Amino acid sequence: MAAITRRLPFGLSEVVAPSLVGYLLINLCTFFIDLGLLGVFHGHLRWPIPAAVTISYGTASVISYLLNRVLNFRSHADVGKQFPVYVAVSASNYLIFVLGFTDLLSAIGVYYELSRVIAACCEAVYLYCMLRWVVFRDTSGAAADAGAADTGASAGEAAAAGAAAAGAAAAGAAAAGAAAGQAPAGQAPAAEAPEAPGPR
């Protein structure tokens, strides 16, 4: 995800965290899974909205957890302790946005799939914050260390490049000085003046 983030235009690579890019990509896929299952359960099987939303959301949430843990946040925390926290976060999101907000919009006449899209926009912000700072909080320090390591590596490369440039400049100056002390090519050295004859 870091490689994708570095290629973001308009300076977004400086402010957008790689985990946010990964979250958006993964949850966009699981959202379409959620939406597809909702269409099957309610549109074709004619399940009630609460049951259809619950099953489709629960399936997509489990897939989202697994993909975010392995591919995005790369967490190594104990699943037995981490997954119940994720279930609690998902349950709160479900009650507030998925079930409550979706039912509210459907009750006032909004098409059920459109109401699910609107609710998803609200839950995206909530879920990302909870995943990054609550569920996968064990990866926050690692991300900071990785950023510091990248900064240190860049500084080291810059210092090495500066030292190489200084060395090249010094070598060039030495070569120029040596060339100045030699006679031009093809020119004979100046003849020595004859000595004056001594007294006889």
Side-chain angles (χ1 to χ4, degrees):
M1 300 304 174
I4 298 175
T5 306
R6 285 195 295 268
R7 290 176 172 81
L8 293 177
F10 311 117
L12 293 176
S13 59
E14 302 294 331
V15 295
V16 175
S19 60
L20 176 58
V21 177
Y23 169 81
L24 292 176
L25 292 176
I26 291 172
N27 281 53
L28 182 63
C29 296
T30 56
F31 170 71
F32 283 114
I33 294 174
D34 184 357
L35 202 61
L37 291 176
L38 177 61
V40 170
F41 296 149
H42 180 71
H44 296 282
L45 301 179
R46 301 299 177 185
W47 289 5
I49 282 286
V53 170
T54 300
I55 300 300
S56 60
Y57 173 76
T59 304
S61 294
V62 173
I63 297 173
S64 174
Y65 169 76
L66 294 174
L67 293 179
N68 273 295
R69 174 183 167 88
V70 175
L71 300 179
N72 190 23
F73 292 95
R74 300 173 186 264
S75 174
H76 298 286
D78 184 10
V79 177
K81 296 180 179 179
Q82 189 182 73
F83 189 69
V85 177
Y86 178 77
V87 170
V89 169
S90 298
S92 64
N93 176 72
Y94 170 77
L95 293 174
I96 297 170
F97 297 107
V98 180
L99 186 59
F101 198 42
T102 303
D103 278 350
L104 175 62
L105 293 176
S106 298
I108 62 177
V110 180
Y111 189 60
Y112 71 93
E113 288 186 339
L114 177 59
S115 65
R116 184 68 189 91
V117 172
I118 296 173
C121 294
C122 299
E123 70 180 86
V125 178
Y126 172 77
L127 269 182
Y128 174 71
C129 293
M130 297 301 288
L131 287 179
R132 182 174 181 181
W133 289 292
V134 177
V135 178
F136 300 115
R137 60 183 179 274
D138 62 300
T139 63
S140 299
D145 293 342
D150 290 341
T151 302
S154 300
E157 291 174 0
Q182 295 178 354
Q187 180 177 347
E192 296 181 357
E195 296 182 356
R200 294 182 180 178

